Amino acid sequence: VGPSGAGKTTVFQLLLRFYDPQAGQVLLDGVDLRQADPAAARARIGLVPQDPVIFAANARENILYARPDASEAELHAAGDAGNVTAFIQALPDSFDTFLGQRGVRLSGGQRQRLSLARAILADRPILLLDEATSSLDAESERAVQSALDTLMADRTTIIIAHRLATVLKADRIVVMDQGTVVETGRHEELVARGGLYARYAALQFDTHRTSINAGLA
């Protein structure tokens, strides 16, 4: 978490090896990414971006892009877990329905859930979530959050979030500002410190910590 321009997206780009660090190391399972095959490293990472990529193809092909050799049963299991099966089956040709350029036939929430179903099917050990619910209405966000809870189980998940509600249960919150890590800890610890995170929490939840704590109950 952190203000715009703090370096959050750059961290993801380093993890995906779009860039190499000018100093220090980025390690994946103890291996310096600069010594790793970029394709092999990326094959261990699932990404759900803020603006999901939907191909000019049908729903089946869009989900199977993550793992083209998946079975029909695995496809439908991913659809169920991603909370997309119901709306896809309501389309004229179900999973064989053409979705249009950039998924123009789908709503924002539907596109995001389809992206999640794709990531569930990929089943990578590391998951990167870049503002996965930021542009959704409340109803769509609930559906997407339910799918995210399924997706995040039993894997390392790194989340970029402006809405602090997204990271309340995180094992570790990293607060960045101007390209630097300025705080780390759990939500309650960071609020108690009274630093940058605490100011964000006061703005997003309430000006009183008692109200923030009540909101977590």
Side-chain angles (χ1 to χ4, degrees):
V1 302
S4 297
K8 303 184 296 296
T9 299
T10 300
V11 170
F12 275 22
Q13 291 169 339
L14 288 169
L15 287 168
L16 291 164
R17 211 182 165 201
F18 296 155
Y19 308 103
D20 284 335
Q22 294 173 316
Q25 297 173 298
V26 179
L27 304 180
L28 175 59
D29 290 336
V31 177
D32 188 330
L33 279 182
R34 287 172 294 194
Q35 308 304 318
D37 178 352
R42 291 169 191 159
R44 299 183 60 76
I45 298 173
L47 172 65
V48 180
Q50 182 176 359
D51 185 17
V53 176
I54 306 299
F55 302 105
N58 62 35
R60 180 189 307 277
E61 292 166 326
N62 264 284
I63 298 174
L64 286 176
Y65 180 81
R67 189 152 58 89
D69 60 347
S71 67
E72 192 74 5
E74 289 171 325
L75 167 70
H76 285 275
D80 291 343
N83 209 348
V84 301
T85 301
F87 80 73
I88 287 178
Q89 290 180 335
L91 296 172
D93 296 310
S94 188
F95 279 85
D96 295 316
T97 302
F98 180 70
L99 301 182
Q101 293 288 340
R102 296 179 57 84
V104 69
R105 300 184 67 179
L106 303 179
S107 70
Q110 289 171 337
R111 288 194 295 272
Q112 194 64 276
R113 279 182 276 164
L114 193 143
S115 177
L116 288 168
R118 184 189 295 154
I120 290 168
L121 185 64
D123 195 25
R124 307 283 169 75
I126 298 170
L127 177 64
L128 306 182
L129 301 177
D130 187 357
E131 291 286 351
T133 64
S134 65
S135 60
L136 305 181
D137 59 60
E139 184 176 358
S140 295
E141 183 174 7
R142 280 194 298 271
V144 169
Q145 192 60 54
S146 174
L148 282 174
D149 290 342
T150 300
L151 181 56
M152 289 189 291
D154 301 319
R155 72 189 78 239
T156 297
T157 306
I158 304 175
I159 303 169
I160 291 176
H162 283 119
R163 296 183 186 182
L164 299 186
T166 309
V167 297
L168 289 179
K169 298 178 183 178
D171 298 303
R172 180 170 59 166
I173 298 170
V174 177
V175 186
M176 298 187 68
D177 190 21
Q178 297 182 9
T180 301
V181 173
V182 294
E183 296 178 298
T184 62
R186 295 181 68 91
H187 171 81
E188 296 83 359
E189 299 166 351
L190 293 173
V191 168
R193 287 179 198 162
L196 179 61
Y197 182 89
R199 294 202 296 275
Y200 281 146
L203 288 169
Q204 293 193 25
F205 297 111
D206 203 303
T207 54
H208 303 290
R209 278 186 50 204
T210 53
S211 297
I212 295 172
N213 292 333
L216 297 176

